[in-house]
Amino acid sequence: MTATLKASRTKAAWVQEWAEVVAQTGDHDVYKLTLRAPEIARRAVAGQFVEVRPVAGRGSAAVDPLLRRPFSICEIRPDEGIITLIYRVVGRGTAVMASVTAGQELNVMGPLGHSFPDPATGRGMLVLVGGGLGIPPMVAAAARARAEAPDRCVTAILGARHVGFLAGAEELAATGVPAAIMTDDGSAGHQGFVTAPLKELLDAAGAGCEVWACGPEGMLMAVKELCRAAGAPCFVSVERHMACGFGACIGCTVPKSGEPGFWKACQDGPVFLAEEVELGG
Amino acid sequence: MTATLKASRTKAAWVQEWAEVVAQTGDHDVYKLTLRAPEIARRAVAGQFVEVRPVAGRGSAAVDPLLRRPFSICEIRPDEGIITLIYRVVGRGTAVMASVTAGQELNVMGPLGHSFPDPATGRGMLVLVGGGLGIPPMVAAAARARAEAPDRCVTAILGARHVGFLAGAEELAATGVPAAIMTDDGSAGHQGFVTAPLKELLDAAGAGCEVWACGPEGMLMAVKELCRAAGAPCFVSVERHMACGFGACIGCTVPKSGEPGFWKACQDGPVFLAEEVELGG
Amino acid sequence: MADLSTELCGIRFKNPVWTASGCFGYGREFADVFPLSELGAICVKGTAPEPWVGNKGTRVVETPGGMLNAIGLQNPGIDYFLNVDWPWLREQGATVIVNIVGRTVAEYVAVARRLEGSGVAAVELNISCPNVKEGGLAFGTSLKGAAEVTAAVRKATSLPLMVKLSPNVTNIVDFAKAVEDAGADAVTLINTLLGMSVDIRKRKPVLGNLFGGLSGPGVKPVALRMVWQVAGAVKIPVVGIGGIMTGADAVEFLMAGARAVQVGTACFVNPRAPIDVINGIAAFMAETGVSRVADLVGAARPAAGAEGNLPALGREAGTKPAKVATGETADALRQFMKDSDRF
Amino acid sequence: MADLSTELCGIRFKNPVWTASGCFGYGREFADVFPLSELGAICVKGTAPEPWVGNKGTRVVETPGGMLNAIGLQNPGIDYFLNVDWPWLREQGATVIVNIVGRTVAEYVAVARRLEGSGVAAVELNISCPNVKEGGLAFGTSLKGAAEVTAAVRKATSLPLMVKLSPNVTNIVDFAKAVEDAGADAVTLINTLLGMSVDIRKRKPVLGNLFGGLSGPGVKPVALRMVWQVAGAVKIPVVGIGGIMTGADAVEFLMAGARAVQVGTACFVNPRAPIDVINGIAAFMAETGVSRVADLVGAARPAAGAEGNLPALGREAGTKPAKVATGETADALRQFMKDSDRF
Ligand SMILES: Cc1cc2nc3c(=O)[nH]c(=O)nc-3n(C[C@H](O)[C@H](O)[C@H](O)COP(=O)(O)OP(=O)(O)OC[C@H]3O[C@@H](n4cnc5c(N)ncnc54)[C@H](O)[C@@H]3O)c2cc1C
Ligand SMILES: Cc1cc2nc3c(=O)[nH]c(=O)nc-3n(C[C@H](O)[C@H](O)[C@H](O)COP(=O)(O)OP(=O)(O)OC[C@H]3O[C@@H](n4cnc5c(N)ncnc54)[C@H](O)[C@@H]3O)c2cc1C
Ligand SMILES: Cc1cc2nc3c(=O)[nH]c(=O)nc-3n(C[C@H](O)[C@H](O)[C@H](O)COP(=O)(O)O)c2cc1C
Ligand SMILES: Cc1cc2nc3c(=O)[nH]c(=O)nc-3n(C[C@H](O)[C@H](O)[C@H](O)COP(=O)(O)O)c2cc1C
Ligand code: FES
Ligand code: FES
């Protein structure tokens, strides 16, 4: 079954598009970027990501920040040619992106990498686990599951340090997928970690669950271990520093589990079958 | 007399300001930037320049383009706290500046360097010679001459390769100073170089003229030579690559005339008494 | 239409724009972006006798105007290349140069031998990778080592032999001369500068490997300087790399004396970069009236060192303005105004 | 309030942020921007026995993420410094380190002698200026020369003796050790990398001097790597320079092992840069609970090489996450979430 699930992940041919910034909202910490990128919107599948040049404008010859920045696609609206991204300002690149305003253009490559599995392929309860800025891709995942596997039971567990880091939770709620909210400090939902409700679910449904997770690598390790113990198929979306995002630099490696050698997060992932990757390495 | 004129150049203490972009107009070649920079507007005198960081926005940590770019101040409106600059896109820095839009903020240092002489100090006809993007500082010069030496005869000679490179000529006309226009190809005014009408004036008035010039260094050399021959005091505004613009790097040197050693264009100039600098070196 | 072709090592390349080793994989990721046959050549990822697994931990990080990499020469080995990648590349009509890495002289020789008669255009010895102890840097920073590995491969192959030099040396010219004397047909420079980056939150180096190779636009001035120095000191052709993002960057290298250039890091940011660079060179030539790339090579060098014939126009534009006497004003002005970007 | 002071060569500096030679003149241009006494120290422009006139032609040009300079060590000479600049600097309450340049060992010695008893804090030998034949690069790229000039100045002065090293060498550690053995009290690194830029319109090098020194953020990774290498190899303190624009950049150097840093090119872009860097370091210390700058020095180095005591918190944050068993999930998660910037 896991092999079938793994095979049901989509990998599309990517394009490079000048995307118009339709809107950018947020405060100085977390931003939501709405982009008109019709070709990417047409091809993208939940779990895939885009690579954004932080500097706006076609004319810009500025070479700093130099590299593109990878972001998971949060919402996909092919009819309108729209995708959205939610990101947190953590360094120089995202700081520059945050200064971009509606009407400007950003150069975007995508959709890149493998999506989450086809929600119609799996069986049993689908559990989406998103931690912090791991929530955005779960929005697309929830929307796809609702649309393409309407009869399947889908539930989300979203966690963050603090209520301020739950960006994407509203968008996820809007898909109709129910979500348990966990915060470290109890500032929203329940106090605690995503692993608590996940463990409850797995204790109850065990191998009857399929789990997709995105978040800090420590959380992914914990989720992977819980799923292994419960015999539930588990997919994790993994982040790595990337120079290219499309397989050319071999910079984004994730050690293979149980054998020597590496996967490329950008091409073989970012969504991996958890048992095939060595996390934290 | 030339010593008195030289001494009448203003050098003010400079400030660093976040200037709001009130407007930016132009096509992909020549742009006019209107900045709200009250402190600089209050201090600036015709002939002085500003140093602009090409990258907009307080938050930007981008380090390319790295250095500031020097631009002569074109118009000074202290009451409104406004200065304007006219510039041509020639490289990476100006290309980035051209993408800046109204409402954004640019970091500007100024006013820097020595101004043109006090127009009320000199005697006789004041001739302003501007070549291409040497025209903008002549706008401020003409305005000051009109305001502070209303009885003095002031005339301008503006030249450019082509009508498209006469930016600032309209602003200059608006000061009420009459201008002879010369273009290489006759696409505006007369066909020919600024030296032709200048030579006529000097032949007629000779040492009765005072000449201020800004433009390509070859033009400055020709103007200097004509003035020398005619015995007319001549001031030239000189351009040099600058790393700092305020005297710290010794990067902007202009050889002294007749003695070893260098002036700093940013501190001792950019407006020099022509006979004191060795042009083309 | 301008003649973009360039001749090196007895081969006429369609144009002087090649892709740099390690920045273009084996071409597969780019085949949908543009036809690989449009490139002057592809220098494939550094290839060893056996597969190399590469470094652990974070391998790449951005730096101001550049990036560090510590890939550790992960590569599938020469067998895989010959069985899988090369036939495919050949089908694409690509001109291929194989970048070779080894732990010992014998390993370099082994890979070179395997390529004999394969149909690849040339081999390029990477004696300069800063990221693995065995990646050749030992050869690249020792004159004796550099000469030794070059001479050994020279004996083992009839293919044109390029040697890629490390910039992490006091005197690059010595290295260029050493490999020229040892039989190299061309030198490629530069490989990456050795650098590092610190994660101040985690209080440790960012890269798993501690140090990495610095590439990208920030290193261009160093690369240009070395190309200039070497092109003036050796008789074999020089291939320039380092921070090329645009056609204008490439023209700088050509004018400094490079007979061809390689585009590396730029391919990550803009997969079409090599094509944009080709078009940029062509546009510059059209604009300045240069008909052959060869006429750009060395054009910024003092006359003696310049190769090819500089068109008169270019020469004039490069001439320092003489002092102007009043009578000659008009003509002189015309010239100066041409010189000035902004008039 | 955090303790920003740092100790080197027996002197306690108010803070570890100094201005780099050649990028701050003799302080005059900055005195209206902030009180010069707020700086850890000012390294004045390279000063010779007699005035030097400097290079002709274009002296500075921007490059991607950096700049090239070929000032040619223009300076007014030691007499002018002692008669005019030094009394003024003293009045400002500035701590001053005199950067010395010379054409011969005797010239370095002559300047050092003149400074004896003047009250300046230290001398810094610039044996690494790439822009003039006589600017010391001959000393800076020869181990023997570096040791010789250091030993001679050592004999001539009782002032703390710092030697500023050139990065244009194969092995920086050898140079650091050579000057340490010859009696240097500290090493400063790096000076500029040798580079060039070509004006493709004029078909000639941009700089009048052909080559120039590359500085600015683009060189930071090279500078950091050299600081790391040298700090692990010598016992004397290391002062780090190269591309520092922000407090975070400075912390990288401190964590790599530098006891102080110098801010150069940044001063041109933002005259307040040194003060912003001081404030940035203080803010980082406050945020991460570090009370003494000394606790940052070497903090990214493996324990043996680290100086000062790392606060337990920092250590933990730097620790690689161990594998997590289900039972320990909550605690482990708490730790990982702290580690993650984005959770
Ligand atoms: C597949 C994928 C999907 C992602 N999705 C999201 C998302 O939806 N929302 C979001 O906020 N973030 C997401 N990230 C993380 C995001 O890419 C980084 O936060 C961002 O690159 C930081 O850039 P910076 O310039 O602000 O940080 P800096 O620290 O200044 O970046 C320096 C360099 O390190 C890289 N880098 C730094 N942190 C990370 C990281 N965590 N992951 C990968 N590279 C990093 C940068 O790309 C850059 O090359 C995703 C990362 C990956 C790999
Ligand atoms: C005092 C002074 C006043 C000026 N006034 C004006 C003006 O009013 N309008 C206008 O269009 N231009 C003016 N210039 C020229 C203007 O500064 C340059 O055109 C501009 O710096 C080019 O920047 P860039 O990044 O587009 O070009 P690039 O060629 O990419 O610049 C690379 C580097 O070279 C420097 N540089 C390139 N050309 C020049 C130049 N001609 N003069 C000085 N530095 C240069 C840049 O500042 C930068 O550091 C003035 C220059 C000076 C010194
Ligand atoms: C990710 C990466 C991998 C590289 N791998 C190799 C390699 O395998 N062999 C080699 O000779 N050079 C390798 N290089 C060096 C490049 O070919 C080139 O010399 C260097 O990056 C400078 O050029 P650039 O600034 O255009 O990237 C690599 C560079 C990068 C960035
Ligand atoms: C314009 C300029 C002039 C310099 N002059 C000197 C000098 O006189 N003596 C010296 O030791 N270093 C000199 N340097 C080198 C700097 O002190 C410093 O080592 C180098 O610029 C790297 O630091 P940065 O990247 O912060 O600028 C000069 C650098 C620049 C940019
Ligand atoms: S990011 Fe370049 S191979 Fe994955
Ligand atoms: S530009 Fe720095 S001294 Fe003039």
Side-chain angles (χ1 to χ4, degrees), chain B residues 63 88 90 131-133 159-161 184 193 195 216 218-219 221-222 225-226 239 278, chain C residues 64-65 320-326 329-331 333-334 336-338 340-343:
Chain B
V63 297
R88 177 142 176 241
V90 299
L133 269 293
R161 203 189 290 165
D184 288 20
F193 298 116
T195 38
M219 181 196 99
M221 289 166 77
E225 182 52 29
L226 287 171
E239 288 184 8
E278 171 99 15
Chain C
K320 268 268 176 92
K323 294 249 180 76
V324 189
T326 321
T329 306
D331 260 18
L333 262 183
R334 198 185 307 272
F336 293 135
M337 279 157 190
K338 265 204 207 115
S340 165
D341 270 351
R342 293 190 313 103
F343 192 76

Coordinates of all heavy atoms in Angstrom, one line a residue, chain B residues 63 88 90 131-133 159-161 184 193 195 216 218-219 221-222 225-226 239 278, chain C residues 64-65 320-326 329-331 333-334 336-338 340-343:
Chain B
V63 N 22.5 43.9 -0.2 CA 23.7 44.6 -0.3 C 24.2 44.8 -1.7 O 25.4 45.0 -2.0 CB 24.8 43.8 0.5 CG1 24.5 43.8 2.0 CG2 25.1 42.4 0.0
R88 N 19.8 59.5 -15.7 CA 19.7 58.6 -16.8 C 20.1 57.2 -16.3 O 21.0 57.0 -15.5 CB 20.6 59.0 -17.9 CG 20.6 58.1 -19.0 CD 20.7 58.7 -20.4 NE 20.8 57.6 -21.4 CZ 21.9 57.5 -22.2 NH1 22.8 58.4 -22.2 NH2 21.9 56.5 -23.0
V90 N 22.0 54.2 -16.6 CA 23.2 53.7 -17.3 C 23.7 52.4 -16.8 O 24.5 51.7 -17.5 CB 24.3 54.8 -17.2 CG1 23.9 56.1 -17.8 CG2 24.8 55.0 -15.8
G131 N 25.5 70.1 -20.5 CA 25.5 69.1 -21.5 C 24.9 67.8 -21.1 O 25.3 67.3 -20.1
G132 N 23.8 67.4 -21.8 CA 23.1 66.1 -21.4 C 22.7 66.1 -20.0 O 22.0 67.1 -19.5
L133 N 23.1 65.1 -19.2 CA 22.7 65.0 -17.8 C 23.5 66.0 -17.0 O 23.5 66.0 -15.8 CB 22.8 63.6 -17.3 CG 21.5 62.8 -17.5 CD1 20.4 63.4 -16.6 CD2 21.0 62.7 -18.9
G159 N 23.1 71.6 -24.3 CA 23.4 70.7 -25.4 C 23.1 69.3 -25.1 O 23.1 68.9 -24.0
A160 N 22.8 68.5 -26.2 CA 22.7 67.1 -26.0 C 22.8 66.4 -27.4 O 22.8 67.1 -28.4 CB 21.3 66.8 -25.5
R161 N 23.0 65.1 -27.3 CA 23.2 64.4 -28.5 C 21.9 64.5 -29.4 O 22.0 64.5 -30.6 CB 23.4 62.9 -28.1 CG 24.1 62.0 -29.0 CD 24.0 60.6 -28.5 NE 24.8 60.4 -27.3 CZ 24.7 59.3 -26.5 NH1 23.8 58.4 -26.8 NH2 25.5 59.2 -25.5
D184 N 23.3 67.5 -31.4 CA 24.3 67.0 -32.4 C 23.6 66.8 -33.7 O 24.2 67.0 -34.8 CB 24.8 65.6 -31.9 CG 25.7 65.7 -30.8 OD1 25.7 66.7 -30.1 OD2 26.5 64.7 -30.6
F193 N 27.4 72.0 -31.3 CA 27.8 71.8 -30.0 C 27.6 73.1 -29.1 O 27.6 74.2 -29.7 CB 29.2 71.3 -29.9 CG 29.4 70.0 -30.6 CD1 30.2 69.9 -31.7 CD2 28.7 68.9 -30.1 CE1 30.3 68.7 -32.3 CE2 28.8 67.7 -30.7 CZ 29.6 67.5 -31.9
T195 N 29.7 74.6 -27.6 CA 30.9 75.5 -27.7 C 30.7 76.6 -28.7 O 31.3 77.6 -28.6 CB 32.1 74.6 -28.0 OG1 31.7 73.6 -29.0 CG2 32.7 74.0 -26.8
P216 N 29.8 66.2 -19.9 CA 30.9 65.3 -20.2 C 32.2 66.0 -20.0 O 32.4 67.2 -20.4 CB 30.7 64.8 -21.6 CG 29.3 65.2 -22.0 CD 28.9 66.3 -21.1
G218 N 34.9 65.9 -21.7 CA 35.4 66.5 -22.9 C 34.8 67.9 -23.2 O 35.5 68.8 -23.5
M219 N 33.5 68.0 -22.9 CA 32.9 69.3 -23.0 C 33.5 70.3 -22.0 O 33.8 71.5 -22.4 CB 31.4 69.2 -22.8 CG 30.6 70.5 -23.0 SD 28.9 70.4 -22.2 CE 29.2 71.2 -20.7
M221 N 36.4 70.3 -20.8 CA 37.8 70.7 -21.2 C 37.7 71.8 -22.3 O 38.4 72.8 -22.3 CB 38.5 69.5 -21.8 CG 38.9 68.5 -20.7 SD 39.4 66.9 -21.4 CE 41.1 67.3 -22.0
A222 N 36.8 71.6 -23.2 CA 36.6 72.6 -24.3 C 36.1 74.0 -23.7 O 36.6 75.0 -24.1 CB 35.6 72.1 -25.3
E225 N 38.9 75.7 -21.9 CA 39.9 76.3 -22.8 C 39.4 77.6 -23.4 O 40.1 78.6 -23.5 CB 40.3 75.3 -23.8 CG 41.3 75.7 -24.8 CD 42.6 76.2 -24.2 OE1 42.9 75.8 -23.0 OE2 43.2 77.1 -24.8
L226 N 38.1 77.6 -23.8 CA 37.5 78.8 -24.4 C 37.5 79.9 -23.4 O 37.8 81.1 -23.7 CB 36.1 78.5 -24.8 CG 35.9 77.7 -26.1 CD1 34.4 77.3 -26.3 CD2 36.4 78.4 -27.3
E239 N 32.5 65.0 -12.4 CA 32.0 63.7 -12.0 C 33.1 62.8 -11.8 O 34.0 62.7 -12.6 CB 31.0 63.2 -13.0 CG 29.7 63.9 -13.0 CD 28.7 63.2 -14.0 OE1 29.0 62.1 -14.5 OE2 27.7 63.8 -14.2
E278 N 42.9 69.5 -13.3 CA 43.5 69.0 -14.5 C 42.4 68.0 -15.0 O 42.1 66.9 -14.5 CB 44.7 68.2 -14.2 CG 45.3 67.3 -15.3 CD 46.4 68.0 -16.0 OE1 47.0 69.0 -15.4 OE2 46.8 67.6 -17.1
Chain C
P64 N 26.2 37.0 1.0 CA 25.9 38.3 0.2 C 26.5 38.3 -1.2 O 27.7 38.2 -1.4 CB 26.6 39.4 1.1 CG 26.7 38.8 2.5 CD 26.9 37.3 2.2
G65 N 25.6 38.3 -2.2 CA 26.0 38.3 -3.6 C 26.7 37.0 -4.0 O 27.4 37.0 -5.0
K320 N 42.2 57.2 -24.7 CA 42.1 58.3 -23.7 C 41.9 59.6 -24.5 O 42.6 59.8 -25.4 CB 43.3 58.4 -22.9 CG 43.3 57.6 -21.6 CD 42.8 58.5 -20.4 CE 42.7 57.7 -19.2 NZ 43.9 57.7 -18.3
P321 N 41.0 60.4 -24.1 CA 40.9 61.7 -24.7 C 42.1 62.5 -24.6 O 42.7 62.7 -23.5 CB 39.7 62.4 -24.0 CG 39.5 61.6 -22.7 CD 40.0 60.3 -23.0
A322 N 42.6 63.1 -25.7 CA 43.8 63.9 -25.7 C 43.3 65.3 -25.3 O 42.1 65.6 -25.2 CB 44.4 64.0 -27.1
K323 N 44.3 66.2 -25.0 CA 43.9 67.5 -24.6 C 43.3 68.2 -25.9 O 43.7 67.9 -27.0 CB 45.2 68.3 -24.2 CG 45.8 67.8 -22.9 CD 45.6 68.8 -21.8 CE 46.2 68.3 -20.5 NZ 47.7 68.4 -20.5
V324 N 42.4 69.1 -25.6 CA 41.6 69.7 -26.7 C 42.1 71.1 -26.9 O 42.0 71.9 -26.0 CB 40.1 69.7 -26.5 CG1 39.4 70.1 -27.7 CG2 39.7 68.3 -26.0
A325 N 42.5 71.5 -28.1 CA 42.7 72.9 -28.4 C 41.4 73.4 -29.0 O 40.6 72.7 -29.6 CB 43.8 73.0 -29.5
T326 N 41.2 74.7 -28.8 CA 39.9 75.3 -29.1 C 39.5 75.1 -30.5 O 38.3 74.8 -30.8 CB 40.0 76.9 -28.9 OG1 40.7 77.1 -27.7 CG2 38.6 77.4 -28.7
T329 N 37.7 71.9 -31.3 CA 36.6 71.6 -30.4 C 35.6 70.7 -30.9 O 35.2 69.6 -30.3 CB 36.0 72.9 -29.9 OG1 37.0 73.7 -29.4 CG2 35.0 72.6 -28.8
A330 N 35.0 71.0 -32.1 CA 33.9 70.3 -32.6 C 34.1 68.8 -32.7 O 33.4 68.0 -32.2 CB 33.4 70.9 -33.9
D331 N 35.2 68.5 -33.4 CA 35.5 67.1 -33.7 C 35.8 66.4 -32.4 O 35.3 65.2 -32.1 CB 36.7 67.0 -34.5 CG 36.3 66.7 -36.0 OD1 35.1 67.0 -36.3 OD2 37.2 66.2 -36.7
L333 N 34.8 67.1 -29.4 CA 33.5 67.0 -28.7 C 32.7 65.9 -29.2 O 32.2 65.1 -28.4 CB 32.7 68.3 -28.8 CG 32.8 69.3 -27.7 CD1 31.9 70.4 -28.0 CD2 32.4 68.6 -26.4
R334 N 32.6 65.7 -30.5 CA 31.9 64.7 -31.1 C 32.4 63.3 -30.5 O 31.6 62.5 -30.1 CB 32.0 64.7 -32.6 CG 30.9 63.9 -33.3 CD 31.2 63.9 -34.9 NE 31.4 65.2 -35.4 CZ 30.4 66.0 -35.9 NH1 29.2 65.5 -35.8 NH2 30.7 67.2 -36.4
F336 N 34.1 62.9 -27.7 CA 33.8 62.7 -26.3 C 32.4 62.4 -26.0 O 32.0 61.7 -25.1 CB 34.2 64.0 -25.5 CG 35.7 64.3 -25.6 CD1 36.2 65.5 -25.9 CD2 36.6 63.3 -25.3 CE1 37.5 65.8 -25.9 CE2 37.9 63.5 -25.4 CZ 38.4 64.7 -25.7
M337 N 31.5 63.0 -26.8 CA 30.1 62.8 -26.5 C 29.8 61.3 -26.8 O 29.0 60.7 -26.1 CB 29.3 63.8 -27.3 CG 29.3 65.1 -26.5 SD 28.9 66.5 -27.5 CE 29.3 67.8 -26.3
K338 N 30.4 60.8 -27.8 CA 30.2 59.3 -28.1 C 30.7 58.5 -26.8 O 30.1 57.6 -26.5 CB 31.0 58.9 -29.3 CG 30.2 58.9 -30.6 CD 30.8 58.0 -31.6 CE 30.5 58.5 -33.0 NZ 31.7 58.9 -33.7
S340 N 30.7 59.4 -23.8 CA 30.0 59.6 -22.6 C 28.7 58.8 -22.7 O 27.9 59.0 -23.6 CB 29.7 61.0 -22.3 OG 28.7 61.1 -21.4
D341 N 28.4 58.1 -21.7 CA 27.1 57.3 -21.7 C 25.9 58.3 -21.5 O 24.8 57.9 -21.9 CB 27.1 56.5 -20.4 CG 27.6 55.1 -20.7 OD1 27.9 54.8 -21.9 OD2 27.8 54.3 -19.7
R342 N 26.2 59.4 -20.9 CA 25.0 60.2 -20.5 C 24.7 61.4 -21.3 O 23.8 62.2 -20.9 CB 25.2 60.5 -19.0 CG 25.1 59.3 -18.1 CD 25.1 59.6 -16.7 NE 26.0 60.6 -16.4 CZ 25.7 61.9 -16.2 NH1 24.5 62.3 -16.3 NH2 26.7 62.7 -15.9
F343 N 25.4 61.7 -22.3 CA 25.2 62.9 -23.1 C 24.2 62.7 -24.1 O 24.3 61.8 -25.0 CB 26.5 63.4 -23.7 CG 26.4 64.8 -24.2 CD1 26.4 65.9 -23.3 CD2 26.2 65.1 -25.5 CE1 26.3 67.1 -23.8 CE2 26.1 66.3 -26.0 CZ 26.1 67.4 -25.1

